[in-house]
């Protein structure tokens, strides 16, 4: 996977991705963690929408649309410095990780950069807020489709992803004949 580290796009293993890391995800690539999209292709058809396939999660092969974070000024051609500056200027407040796959209520705040308006203290203390819902969350193990590439920010990683929290040991399945053989073996 490709992550923005120290101003350079670098290949990293999925186990090294941390909350807040900036990721570049390509078409047909499986998402390594739960994340939100901050940049997508600038074509008029899907400027604020990306598409994922969730067959690894729910068995459905139809595409699901997810929204880009509203107001994110980034494009895929943004420089690493622009991406770092934007991601450094936002705060994403997420609820504690939960197993529920279809619920995500978070908040994104953008504070005006002090370099844009150093004379006004109100510009640095008045955040621009917006709510984030399940329509903004790209789930781990889903696959990016019909979108050439996105830039995303990791919000849940490892076993704290919604997929990771739903991992349970497989139930032991016994055929009826196995149950009878076991029962008769105990009798003998």
């Amino acid at each position: 996977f490709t992550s923005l580290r120290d101003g350079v796009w670098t290949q990293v293993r999925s186990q090294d991705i941390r909350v807040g890391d900036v990721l570049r995800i390509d078409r047909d690539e499986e998402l390594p963690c739960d994340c939100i999209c901050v940049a997508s292709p600038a074509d008029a058809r899907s400027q604020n929408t990306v598409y994922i396939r969730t067959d690894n999660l729910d068995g459905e092969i139809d595409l699901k649309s997810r929204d880009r974070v509203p107001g994110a000024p980034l494009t895929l051609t943004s420089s690493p410095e622009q991406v770092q500056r934007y991601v450094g200027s936002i705060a994403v407040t997420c609820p504690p990780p939960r197993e529920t796959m279809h619920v995500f209520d978070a908040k994104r705040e953008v504070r005006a950069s002090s370099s844009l308006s150093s004379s006004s203290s109100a510009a640095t203390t008045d955040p621009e807020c917006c709510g984030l819902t399940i329509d903004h969350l790209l789930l781990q193990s889903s696959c990016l489709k019909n979108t050439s590439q996105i830039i995303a920010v990791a919000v849940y990683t490892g076993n704290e992803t919604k997929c990771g929290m739903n991992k349970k040991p497989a139930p032991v399945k016994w055929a009826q004949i196995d149950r009878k053989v076991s029962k008769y073996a105990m009798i003998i």
Side-chain angles (χ1 to χ4, degrees), residues 27-48:
R27 178 189 319 238
D28 297 327
E29 194 170 37
E30 192 173 291
L31 295 162
C33 59
D34 292 349
C35 53
I36 55 174
C37 176
V38 295
S40 60
D43 65 340
R45 181 172 52 90
S46 63
Q47 183 174 2
N48 293 318

Side-chain angles (χ1 to χ4, degrees), residues 179-188:
R179 276 188 243 137
K180 287 183 179 181
V181 168
S182 294
K183 180 178 165 183
Y184 294 134
M186 290 180 69
I187 292 173
I188 296 177

Side-chain angles (χ1 to χ4, degrees), residues 58-161:
D58 57 14
E60 296 179 15
I61 58 171
D62 58 327
L63 298 180
K64 294 178 178 61
S65 63
R66 292 293 185 255
D67 297 332
R68 182 176 133 163
V69 172
L74 301 174
T75 65
L76 295 178
T77 59
S78 297
S79 70
E81 294 80 24
Q82 290 171 316
V83 174
Q84 277 189 318
R85 193 174 324 120
Y86 172 73
V87 172
S89 72
I90 66 172
V92 178
T93 306
C94 298
R98 291 189 292 179
E99 291 180 9
T100 311
M101 296 289 259
H102 303 290
V103 176
F104 179 71
D105 294 313
K107 178 175 70 169
R108 186 259 317 163
E109 294 180 87
V110 177
R111 299 191 182 276
S113 172
S114 59
S115 64
L116 297 175
S117 176
S118 59
S119 61
S120 171
S121 63
T124 59
T125 59
D126 186 24
E128 176 190 326
C129 294
C130 90
L132 301 176
T133 66
I134 193 65
D135 292 331
H136 297 99
L137 186 66
L138 305 170
L139 295 172
Q140 177 189 28
S141 297
S142 57
C143 189
L144 186 65
K145 291 289 187 184
N146 289 6
T147 306
S148 60
Q149 189 179 70
I150 63 168
I151 297 174
V153 177
V155 293
Y156 298 124
T157 61
N159 286 329
E160 292 185 344
T161 63

